[in-house]
Amino acid sequence: METVNQTTGKDVLLPDDTIEAFRAKAADTPHPRELIVDLLRAIQDHHGWVPDAGIELAAQTLGLSPLQLEEIATFYDKIYRQPVGRKVIHLCDSICCWTTGGEQVAELLRDKLGIGFGETTPDGVFTLLPTCCLGACGDAPAMMIGLTTYGRLTAEKIDTILREIRQQID
Amino acid sequence: MPTLTIDNKSITVPDGTNVLEAAQRLGIVIPHFCYHEALGAVGACRLCAMMFEEGPVKGLQMACMVTAQDGMQISTLHPEAQELRSHVIEWMMLNHPHDCPVCDEGGECQLQDMTIAGGHGRRRYAGKKRTWINQDLGPFVVQEMNRCIQCYRCVRTYQDYCGGDDFGVMGSRNRLFFGRFQPGKLESPFSGNLVDVCPTGVFTDKTFRFKTRYWDIEEAPAVCPHCSLGCTVIPGARYRELQRVRAGVNRQTNGFFICDRSRFGYGYANHRERIRQPNCQGAATSWREALEHLKERLGKVVNEYGPLSVAIVGSPRSSLECQALLREWTREHGYRPPLFEIDNRRDRTARILAAGLGKQARSMAEIADSDCLVMLGSDPLNEAPLLALAIRQAVRNGCHVTCLDPRAVKLPCAASHLPVQPEQLLPAINGLVANRFEEFERQDQLFLEGAAERLGRAERPVLVGGGDLLGPEGTEALLKAARSLNAGLFVTLGGPNSYGGALLSEDGPDSEEMIEAALEGEIKALFCIEADPLTEGPARSARALGQLELLVVCDHMVNRTARSADIFLPTTAPPEAAGTYINNEGRMLPFGGAYAPGLPLRDIGEGGHPPRTFSNITTGGEPRPAWAILATLLQRPLDFDSIHHGLESDPHFAGLGLLSPGGEGRRVTDAGMLPPAAQPEFPHSAPEGSLPLLVVEALFGTEPLSSLSPALEPVIPEAAVQLHPTTAARLGISDGETVSLRTELEHLRLTARTEAEMVPGLLVAYRLRGTPLELLPVGKITPCLLEKGGNDA
Amino acid sequence: MNDYPQILFKNRVVGETAFIDRFRANGGYQGLEKGLREMTPQEITATVKASGLRGRGGAGFPTGVKWSFFPADQPVEKFLVINGDEMEPGTYKDRQLLLADPHQLIEGVILSAFALQVSHAYIFIRYAYEECSRNLEQAIAEAKEAGYLGRDILGTGWDLEIHLHRSAGRYILGEETAQLNGIEGVRPNPRSKPPFPAAKGLWGKPTNVNNIETIACIPHIITGGPGWFINLGITQGGVGTKLFGLSGHLNRTECFELPVGIPLREVVETFGGGVRNGKGFKACLPGGASTPFLTAQHLDTPMDFEPLEQLDSRFGTAGVTVFDETTCMVGATLNLIRFFARESCGWCTPCRDGLSFVQWILEEIEAGRGNRDQIAMLKDQKKNITGRSFCALAEGAMGPLDGLLRHFEQELEDHVKLGRCPFGD
Ligand SMILES: Cc1cc2nc3c(=O)[nH]c(=O)nc-3n(C[C@H](O)[C@H](O)[C@H](O)COP(=O)(O)O)c2cc1C
Ligand code: SF4
Ligand code: SF4
Ligand code: FES
Ligand code: FES
């Protein structure tokens, strides 16, 4: 996945062919707005998060104003409008996870990562965020890293998960 | 028409009225924030609770969300309703900073009022408040986001009503930010309405910041003097300084909103170069001396050359009272009949319209209600901004808009635009009636047939014309078309009282005739009342004025003609005196004077502590209403009311005396008269290789009063010539390049701007004040030569 | 262990997904064949109505009745939206369904779309359910391949396209009108009702919204008939089976398909395996985060709409979250209120600001800084928020607070008296 253009040295927000595909879809529908969430998610998938330039690119691709994109982007909590690490950990803090030790897991994660909620590890690998219920209440306490959900968290399990992800990344 | 009972009072209301509105009709005002008459009800604030005790709906309901129905029995005083209201206010106040002492809204803040009315008094929340970093929103509006109570009125005004797309709401839950994507100037020409609609001090008028508390401001309902639509405005002044303008309410014209030109274009009244003292030959003098001198010199001219050597140029900027006295004065002394518009094209256009409009007249409210609008030579955002909002409301209700115009007309709504040459407007109008468009190309024919077909099908069609581009012939054709299509007609004119001037001109001579007479040496004395023939008149005016023995100018602005006056008499600016304008649909709109003229204290440094020296003379208080100067010359009492009411002796103005400032006004009763036959125009042979240049109005920078307002300086457009990319390519000119433009008399350097949506082969430029472009007549084609570069200018 | 009839979960093998071969081998797409070949759209709607099926998304509105309001016979563009937002804490049943058996939903969507005569259906899936989205993508492709989707389905001359909308978070998107806005790509605040989606929904066109589980029931109702479906329930008015997602302090926190009307005790003890660590049962949320708590005295209540409403609680989504005797109910309620306050869309004042006010009061009390006045304040906040908000989110938020005030006021008092949380460690 190319995230920096070799010749311009600029961040690649989305590959040109993907942008073209969105442009074509937008031209094909009477309501291009329906593509907003898809496009923001595509930029985020590719670039890790949605910077201002991503909002502008999306606006321009769909023929809307940046503000019109920003109104949507800032509503959803899973669209990141600030830089995040390469993997975002969403720890559930809703009721089922709370009853099953979610607060202790939070403590544990903070310790292990050395960061608080809303922060990114100095090596840029992990960002820790709280989230509401992940729909994994039967497997509480649960967290989601990227788009993968992990349940029945214990100290050992968390260690393994974090270690494996670090290995994958290297 | 359901009948319902609220607090034991019965009322019958039109179908579709909501219960909050029904209560308001009964004079019962229940606190509310998100409901706004122009924006409708959305049920967001949850403040307007009432108890529905009997009838088809039961229980505590948001009154704005319930349509009035027969048999409803409603209590606004029910304890549960009152309790909820006080809770809603408490919730709104959780995050509100208690910064009323430093808030510009203080004193006219709905949140202050509703907090008291809602019954919340003691703060129980002791947690943290959310705070924001504000954005710089440009020269007009200040943002203080912490004060927001999330009523969503601002977005609904800016986006839904006005069609802006650079301001909105971001975030969610109790972290909502109402602003722009990035800090920067609000792009909408209606951005200032945020100041009026925001019920608290989030958006305030930057030009008014920290100047005056509401209770200290002098206000009066008035009529906007910056175009011909007659929007109701409320100018406000303090310490002899006009400090702000806010929107007034007139459901027939502007509704609740005004444009930024109107709101921030008020600086002309405080202009530092404004001449406030009478002067003779450039030397300041007293009124008594000036008037004596005037009588003496005028007497001399009349003695020597007869009364017909005296000519008068009035203006569409003047009040009807002034115009009427002017006519009386000329009649009494046998002077030449007055002109009320020196621009011949505009004069004839207005007179033709006033003579023929009759039943075809439509208001902006009726435009907003139309189901089919066809615009001919009209560019509302530049010529009559609020018209663009009326059109947008029509489109929101499903109206189809067709626009025929040489310019790249931009509208805040969807419209089908066909770029046509200026001279194609006339055949297009005639074609719409006959449904024949032979003179057009096949593609355009299809477009025009579609428009004709929609017009035929529509129930409430309106033809919208721009007087400048249509000119007298176009206006005449459009009048005929409206009559034969049984459509409404709405034509914008040159100034706020063009229509009044047109009625009073009757079939009197036009400016061609006057200029010719002056050139022949038949005119020796010229009176210009709030008129500037050297700028607005034809190029020959300078030579014509050169023949005079006496030039008298009465005005509140400095301009070319005023600078060469023998005698100058200062008049009041529009907000400084009462008067009446007649807008472009023939609606009589009286206005009050907000304050007495004088040198603003901020300019002279008076007014501090310890107290100033006492004097009954106001520094700079010399300007007099133009009508008062004329009344003096006519030896009539200086009594505005008697002059105003006296206008009713002219049957056109029947009922005027019953109207009050700030009201909806009413249309004039009788038609005007057609101007005398036009002198044949000798077509100038255009030089080899020349291109037609069309000079037009712009939103900012071309209207005479507002262009003097410092607040508008940052938004005045660059001096540019617009041309179609193909035209540019043919000339080898690219976008942004400096070009040289040569007309018969002027030579200027401008920036070239390519504009794909305009008609090819034409040049378009704004008549920017303070540039040589201001001397070119609007709406008329001027042949010119355009070249690359232009460094030799 | 679960001897009750398995209808929705008949193909379920935990950890596996049944795609088209297994689905068909087990009788899949028979309801579709029957419905499209042998029945008219009106007959399908009538059958669903006769089955008494009630919506599984939380509100429990009778599905057949809703469909009968839909202008199916009008020749205008109309839409079907399948609500897979599932973000109410304690609710995870739709996910189990999609992980196990995505074709079941697709078959239901096709049948429902046929009954409602729509040609475009949107399945709305929350951000966290990426695996479900992938399953659905595969199932849609397979169904297309098999001729169940696309043009002229089974020779009926009727076309259907299913679109998958992947969302990006926020609980409010589960509210049907907010969801329509979400699909349209405008700010997902709820819309005012009326007009209801059946009159003005997606892009102003008639739209029917149903929950995933609701739609998954349709093929079974068509194959088995309404009588059979009604008999699956074991209470008087209860019909069909229901997916129960168990969570909290139970030994077995899994999702079970159980008959509607099964007593709470059986759910907790037999299926949930009783309270963890041998502790006593203190309370539970019977149907998701927005349903008022039940206590030990309610254990014999049948899990069905009416019986729970009689206890001033709700069946909701049947996500049962159990709290053991050591749980601080003030803390639990605070957690729930925090969720709702954070998930408020920000449109109306009672929710946007009222909920954060309630959250603050509970925080004060839980932290031992509270006073008696604040307990009274909780009551008046509840009174003034319930039924006063623009949509049902804030009303739902008041569910647990209502339960707290009705059943556990003493715990509030104890916090105030002690100046700390009595359950604190
Ligand atoms: C705040 C809120 C959240 C909701 N979340 C969901 C949801 O996640 N899934 C769902 O099916 N219904 C949800 N609903 C209910 C829907 O509005 C709607 O009633 C339901 O989708 C209708 O489908 P049904 O009749 O099949 O249950 C929610 C309602 C509210 C007020
Ligand atoms: S900024 Fe003003 S108008 Fe806009 S939501 Fe806030 S209080 Fe209302
Ligand atoms: S109750 Fe009001 S603020 Fe809360 S989610 Fe519904 S509309 Fe939004
Ligand atoms: S409460 Fe944590 S996953 Fe549902
Ligand atoms: S005015 Fe009725 S809810 Fe806001």
Side-chain angles (χ1 to χ4, degrees):
Chain A
M1 191 157 72
E2 193 189 40
T3 52
V4 176
N5 184 309
Q6 298 306 320
T7 35
T8 62
K10 275 201 187 146
D11 280 4
V12 174
L13 296 161
L14 204 57
D16 288 342
D17 51 343
T18 318
I19 299 176
E20 273 325 304
F22 271 103
R23 228 186 274 282
K25 272 198 231 169
D28 205 38
T29 158
H31 16 70
R33 270 181 165 273
E34 68 176 313
L35 300 168
I36 292 180
V37 177
D38 285 351
L39 180 48
L40 290 172
R41 283 193 59 171
I43 291 172
Q44 180 156 299
D45 281 351
H46 189 85
H47 184 260
W49 61 289
V50 184
D52 288 356
I55 295 289
E56 281 157 355
L57 171 70
Q60 197 238 337
T61 308
L62 301 180
L64 298 164
S65 74
L67 179 270
Q68 288 169 326
L69 264 287
E70 184 76 330
E71 286 190 318
I72 309 300
T74 53
F75 191 97
Y76 292 98
D77 63 325
K78 300 296 188 293
I79 300 292
Y80 314 132
R81 282 288 284 116
Q82 287 176 45
V84 289
R86 296 173 68 177
K87 290 284 171 187
V88 180
I89 305 177
H90 289 279
L91 179 69
C92 173
D93 60 6
S94 292
I95 190 72
C96 312
C97 295
W98 179 81
T99 53
T100 49
E103 288 180 343
Q104 288 87 300
V105 173
E107 204 51 60
L108 223 87
L109 272 171
R110 273 196 294 247
D111 274 2
K112 285 191 200 301
L113 298 170
I115 53 172
F117 282 91
E119 293 174 2
T120 301
T121 51
D123 59 3
V125 175
F126 291 111
T127 296
L128 183 59
L129 293 175
T131 179
C132 69
C133 176
L134 292 166
C137 322
D139 293 328
M143 67 179 175
M144 179 171 75
I145 303 185
L147 284 166
T148 313
T149 308
Y150 302 87
R152 304 194 182 247
L153 298 175
T154 58
E156 300 77 61
K157 207 163 165 185
I158 291 173
D159 273 338
T160 323
I161 295 166
L162 296 184
R163 188 167 359 95
E164 279 174 10
I165 289 176
R166 278 219 157 87
Q167 276 164 4
Q168 273 169 30
I169 280 177
D170 293 336
Chain B
M1 296 274 282
T3 302
L4 65 167
T5 309
I6 306 175
D7 292 345
N8 297 322
K9 286 184 225 162
S10 281
I11 185 168
T12 304
V13 293
D15 289 327
T17 308
N18 71 46
V19 173
L20 183 64
E21 291 166 334
Q24 280 179 335
R25 280 169 182 248
L26 278 172
I28 303 170
V29 181
I30 293 305
H32 59 273
F33 280 118
C34 64
Y35 168 82
H36 184 290
E37 187 179 323
L39 308 173
V42 293
C45 76
R46 316 307 280 181
L47 190 54
C48 64
M50 296 184 192
M51 184 58 81
F52 288 61
E53 296 178 319
E54 295 295 334
V57 176
K58 290 270 173 59
L60 194 72
Q61 304 286 341
M62 297 307 137
C64 70
M65 298 301 279
V66 183
T67 310
Q69 291 171 54
D70 263 324
M72 287 180 156
Q73 276 187 35
I74 299 156
S75 158
T76 70
L77 302 169
H78 192 281
E80 277 186 44
Q82 299 204 30
E83 182 182 332
L84 178 60
R85 292 201 288 266
S86 78
H87 277 77
V88 171
I89 299 283
E90 177 173 34
W91 294 323
M92 287 176 164
M93 294 301 286
L94 294 184
N95 285 304
H96 189 84
H98 288 184
D99 62 347
C100 305
V102 293
C103 175
D104 260 328
E105 195 83 359
E108 51 184 338
C109 172
Q110 283 184 56
L111 183 59
Q112 285 180 331
D113 297 348
M114 303 287 178
T115 301
I116 302 301
H120 163 68
R122 195 170 64 87
R123 182 177 191 81
R124 298 188 291 178
Y125 172 69
K128 281 190 179 166
K129 295 183 184 186
R130 63 113 174 72
T131 51
W132 291 107
I133 293 170
N134 295 318
Q135 288 181 327
D136 180 348
L137 297 177
F140 298 151
V141 179
V142 199
Q143 183 196 43
E144 178 52 62
M145 202 61 222
N146 293 343
R147 296 179 185 141
C148 177
I149 54 156
Q150 297 91 16
C151 67
Y152 288 84
R153 274 200 207 176
C154 52
V155 243
R156 288 157 59 217
T157 303
Y158 198 94
Q159 294 186 355
D160 302 352
Y161 200 96
C162 301
D165 67 3
D166 63 315
F167 171 94
V169 49
M170 287 155 284
S172 63
R173 55 162 164 151
N174 62 352
R175 296 179 178 176
L176 293 168
F177 189 88
F178 295 80
R180 278 172 47 91
F181 171 55
Q182 302 281 14
K185 189 193 162 298
L186 292 165
E187 286 158 20
S188 167
F190 306 103
S191 68
N193 292 303
L194 293 183
V195 173
D196 287 346
V197 296
C198 178
T200 165
V202 178
F203 298 114
T204 50
D205 180 338
K206 200 171 211 168
T207 68
F208 180 56
R209 201 152 205 227
F210 300 143
K211 284 190 178 165
T212 298
R213 283 285 178 218
Y214 178 62
W215 49 79
D216 285 327
I217 201 159
E218 297 171 85
E219 289 189 331
V223 181
C224 175
H226 302 293
C227 83
S228 65
L229 296 179
C231 299
T232 300
V233 291
I234 305 178
R238 190 185 184 208
Y239 294 146
R240 308 175 207 149
E241 180 193 3
L242 186 55
Q243 293 186 330
R244 71 163 181 196
V245 172
R246 62 188 176 104
V249 180
N250 185 338
R251 290 174 181 79
Q252 294 305 317
T253 60
N254 58 309
F256 291 76
F257 304 121
I258 55 173
C259 67
D260 287 353
R261 171 158 94 199
S262 174
R263 190 182 299 267
F264 303 109
Y266 63 81
Y268 64 91
N270 310 321
H271 201 276
R272 284 179 195 255
E273 283 165 39
R274 187 170 162 188
I275 305 171
R276 292 173 182 271
Q277 256 196 302
N279 72 58
C280 298
Q281 245 60 57
T285 172
S286 68
W287 273 104
R288 203 174 45 82
E289 269 175 46
L291 287 171
E292 239 145 58
H293 188 61
L294 169 67
K295 274 184 209 147
E296 188 191 311
R297 297 212 29 199
L298 194 58
K300 240 193 196 151
V301 170
V302 173
N303 272 343
E304 208 162 317
Y305 307 100
L308 283 178
S309 65
V310 182
I312 284 101
V313 182
S315 116
R317 284 196 271 130
S318 293
S319 67
L320 192 63
E321 289 75 6
C322 159
Q323 289 177 337
L325 288 187
L326 204 47
R327 187 176 66 170
E328 200 178 317
W329 188 53
T330 58
R331 284 187 178 162
E332 194 166 298
H333 293 280
Y335 304 145
R336 284 173 181 267
L339 275 174
F340 294 106
E341 171 64 271
I342 188 71
D343 180 325
N344 200 38
R345 185 178 170 88
R346 283 184 162 175
D347 176 26
R348 303 185 68 86
T349 301
R351 284 202 247 177
I352 287 168
L353 182 71
L357 188 55
K359 285 199 173 53
Q360 256 59 47
R362 294 293 182 274
S363 67
M364 280 205 273
E366 287 164 304
I367 288 192
D369 189 42
S370 166
D371 57 348
C372 176
L373 294 169
V374 178
M375 302 167 58
L376 297 126
S378 168
D379 182 1
L381 281 181
N382 284 319
E383 295 171 337
L386 253 285
L387 172 59
L389 281 193
I391 293 173
R392 177 173 165 82
Q393 306 324 307
V395 170
R396 290 175 75 199
N397 294 325
C399 171
H400 189 282
V401 178
T402 308
C403 170
L404 305 179
D405 203 287
R407 293 163 287 187
V409 173
K410 306 248 174 4
L411 285 171
C413 56
S416 347
H417 175 222
L418 180 69
V420 295
Q421 298 295 344
E423 62 276 12
Q424 282 180 306
L425 283 170
L426 199 55
I429 295 168
N430 295 330
L432 285 174
V433 178
N435 201 1
R436 285 169 58 175
F437 302 98
E438 293 102 350
E439 295 159 56
F440 291 85
E441 290 182 15
R442 189 70 205 115
Q443 197 67 23
D444 298 355
Q445 280 181 13
L446 288 178
F447 181 98
L448 291 161
E449 281 160 15
E453 194 261 327
R454 280 189 297 270
L455 264 178
R457 244 187 312 124
E459 283 172 21
R460 299 175 305 281
V462 182
L463 301 175
V464 176
D468 283 347
L469 257 61
L470 289 176
E473 297 80 19
T475 305
E476 203 171 336
L478 201 59
L479 272 164
K480 284 207 190 98
R483 266 184 242 121
S484 78
L485 293 166
N486 199 14
L489 183 63
F490 190 91
V491 177
T492 55
L493 297 174
N497 202 18
S498 294
Y499 205 103
L503 290 176
L504 293 169
S505 304
E506 300 180 324
D507 56 355
D510 63 8
S511 69
E512 279 299 299
E513 201 181 316
M514 193 205 81
I515 301 270
E516 286 310 316
L519 287 170
E520 299 287 316
E522 289 168 21
I523 295 176
K524 294 297 175 195
L526 181 69
F527 266 74
C528 296
I529 318 285
E530 296 173 334
D532 178 14
L534 287 177
T535 308
E536 316 285 335
R540 308 191 315 288
S541 302
R543 257 192 306 133
L545 262 59
Q547 315 264 342
L548 298 174
E549 290 187 7
L550 174 63
L551 175 62
V552 183
V553 174
C554 307
D555 211 334
H556 53 85
M557 330 188 335
V558 253
N559 52 43
R560 281 192 178 73
T561 314
R563 279 192 205 99
S564 31
D566 297 302
I567 299 174
F568 179 86
L569 304 175
T571 61
T572 51
E576 293 167 348
T580 303
Y581 289 148
I582 301 181
N583 80 351
N584 65 315
E585 46 146 339
R587 182 177 297 275
M588 299 183 284
L589 295 159
F591 52 90
Y595 67 107
L599 259 180
L601 289 192
R602 65 159 45 215
D603 288 351
I604 53 177
E606 281 176 15
H609 284 277
R612 46 203 165 260
T613 47
F614 292 97
S615 149
N616 56 4
I617 294 168
T618 307
T619 319
E622 289 85 353
R624 292 184 184 175
W627 65 260
I629 299 174
L630 291 160
T632 311
L633 294 172
L634 276 161
Q635 294 177 322
R636 297 258 307 259
L638 292 181
D639 175 3
F640 175 77
D641 286 343
S642 78
I643 290 165
H644 178 71
H645 289 279
L647 286 172
E648 283 204 72
S649 59
D650 181 334
H652 286 111
F653 309 130
L656 174 62
L658 296 173
L659 304 175
S660 50
E664 288 187 357
R666 63 179 279 179
R667 291 214 183 103
V668 292
T669 4
D670 266 350
M673 290 164 91
L674 288 172
Q679 266 113 11
E681 266 196 63
F682 300 106
H684 282 275
S685 55
E688 183 64 22
S690 74
L691 286 168
L693 169 69
L694 177 66
V695 174
V696 293
E697 297 286 356
L699 174 61
F700 299 116
T702 70
E703 185 273 327
L705 300 185
S706 61
S707 345
L708 295 173
S709 185
L712 292 184
E713 269 164 30
V715 294
I716 292 193
E718 61 177 352
V721 57
Q722 300 167 22
L723 68 177
H724 193 269
T726 57
T727 317
R730 184 156 54 78
L731 299 169
I733 288 169
S734 49
D735 185 72
E737 194 173 328
T738 307
V739 290
S740 134
L741 188 145
R742 233 179 259 275
T743 71
E744 202 181 345
L745 300 168
E746 310 292 334
H747 178 199
L748 21 143
R749 285 179 63 201
L750 302 163
T751 310
R753 287 289 165 208
T754 55
E755 191 40 272
E757 277 154 52
M758 65 178 277
V759 76
L762 184 73
L763 306 177
V764 171
Y766 294 138
R767 184 205 209 176
L768 288 181
R769 300 284 161 178
T771 77
L773 286 167
E774 77 175 319
L775 297 171
L776 298 172
V778 262
K780 234 167 141 173
I781 296 294
T782 311
C784 70
L785 292 165
L786 188 72
E787 286 164 13
K788 280 170 83 75
N791 292 328
D792 54 349
Chain C
M1 168 211 96
N2 186 352
D3 295 331
Y4 289 111
Q6 296 297 290
I7 316 296
L8 298 169
F9 271 179
K10 72 173 176 186
N11 293 329
R12 184 177 189 232
V13 178
V14 175
E16 283 179 29
T17 307
F19 283 105
I20 195 153
D21 293 338
R22 189 142 75 78
F23 182 67
R24 274 208 291 217
N26 242 344
Y29 286 118
Q30 280 175 9
L32 172 68
E33 301 262 355
K34 179 173 173 196
L36 262 63
R37 291 192 201 281
E38 296 168 23
M39 297 170 81
T40 62
Q42 293 81 350
E43 282 165 355
I44 299 180
T45 300
T47 308
V48 172
K49 201 167 169 181
S51 79
L53 171 68
R54 294 177 65 167
R56 303 310 198 207
F61 194 82
T63 307
V65 177
K66 178 142 100 187
W67 288 13
S68 62
F69 296 147
F70 192 79
D73 49 358
Q74 276 176 30
V76 293
E77 197 179 21
K78 3 183 200 349
F79 298 98
L80 171 64
V81 170
I82 313 300
N83 189 340
D85 191 57
E86 193 162 80
M87 287 182 76
E88 180 154 327
T91 307
Y92 61 101
K93 60 181 183 85
D94 295 340
R95 172 187 221 162
Q96 306 309 318
L97 232 159
L98 295 179
L99 288 179
D101 201 0
H103 275 284
Q104 186 175 208
L105 176 67
I106 301 299
E107 184 181 1
V109 173
I110 301 168
L111 268 169
S112 311
F114 181 68
L116 301 170
Q117 287 293 293
V118 309
S119 288
H120 289 275
Y122 281 81
I123 304 181
F124 181 103
I125 299 293
R126 66 173 291 190
Y127 183 86
Y129 288 3
E130 181 59 21
E131 215 181 326
C132 301
S133 293
R134 291 198 186 127
N135 287 352
L136 280 171
E137 265 169 354
Q138 182 175 340
I140 291 170
E142 289 175 345
K144 227 181 247 171
E145 177 83 30
Y148 297 132
L149 276 177
R151 317 220 116 221
D152 189 19
I153 302 167
L154 302 186
T156 51
W158 166 74
D159 310 333
L160 175 65
E161 199 180 336
I162 299 184
H163 310 263
L164 186 68
H165 180 94
R166 285 173 157 93
S167 188
R170 302 313 301 281
Y171 170 57
I172 191 58
L173 275 291
E175 197 283 336
E176 55 185 7
T177 57
Q179 186 157 100
L180 300 180
N181 284 336
I183 294 172
E184 285 185 17
V186 298
R187 276 177 64 86
N189 299 112
R191 302 177 180 175
S192 72
K193 295 189 262 192
F196 287 91
K200 270 182 110 184
L202 265 189
W203 296 292
K205 305 287 169 20
T207 303
N208 183 77
V209 186
N210 273 119
N211 170 256
I212 286 190
E213 186 186 346
T214 312
I215 294 299
C217 291
I218 304 297
H220 306 292
I221 294 173
I222 297 305
T223 31
W228 164 81
F229 189 75
I230 290 170
N231 282 329
L232 291 171
I234 54 179
T235 24
Q236 183 72 75
V239 304
T241 60
K242 178 77 195 75
L243 302 183
F244 285 76
L246 310 192
S247 61
H249 295 139
L250 287 174
N251 279 312
R252 231 178 355 255
T253 50
E254 289 167 28
C255 188
F256 297 97
E257 180 172 15
L258 301 171
V260 170
I262 186 172
L264 175 58
R265 188 184 302 281
E266 191 180 341
V267 174
V268 169
E269 286 170 8
T270 311
F271 293 94
V275 175
R276 258 184 216 187
N277 305 328
K279 298 256 170 57
F281 175 98
K282 183 176 199 174
C284 78
L285 296 162
S290 63
T291 55
F293 300 116
L294 298 183
T295 65
Q297 76 191 77
H298 304 124
L299 277 169
D300 294 314
T301 313
M303 293 296 280
D304 188 5
F305 295 97
E306 264 83 42
L308 286 167
E309 271 157 37
Q310 272 163 27
L311 298 176
D312 290 322
S313 187
R314 288 187 305 113
F315 193 24
T317 59
V320 181
T321 307
V322 170
F323 304 98
D324 70 18
E325 58 194 348
T326 67
T327 314
C328 168
M329 295 312 287
V330 178
T333 308
L334 171 59
N335 176 283
L336 289 159
I337 290 287
R338 261 198 195 122
F339 162 80
F340 287 106
R342 192 167 71 190
E343 292 305 317
S344 165
C345 80
W347 181 246
C348 71
T349 317
C351 176
R352 181 189 58 237
D353 296 318
L355 295 187
S356 26
F357 193 27
V358 173
Q359 177 185 327
W360 176 76
I361 300 170
L362 284 170
E363 276 167 356
E364 293 291 293
I365 296 176
E366 175 67 3
R369 294 188 296 264
N371 56 44
R372 304 285 298 264
D373 287 351
Q374 286 174 330
I375 301 178
M377 272 161 74
L378 284 176
K379 290 183 188 159
D380 88 344
Q381 295 298 309
K382 190 199 91 182
K383 176 176 167 218
N384 283 284
I385 294 173
T386 310
R388 310 297 190 230
S389 55
F390 185 82
C391 85
L393 185 144
E395 175 123 28
M398 290 299 101
L401 180 62
D402 172 55
L404 179 77
L405 291 167
R406 273 192 290 124
H407 305 305
F408 302 103
E409 189 171 349
Q410 190 55 46
E411 285 193 19
L412 286 164
E413 301 274 354
D414 292 346
H415 278 75
V416 169
K417 236 181 278 160
L418 290 172
R420 63 173 172 80
C421 173
F423 301 89
D425 28 36

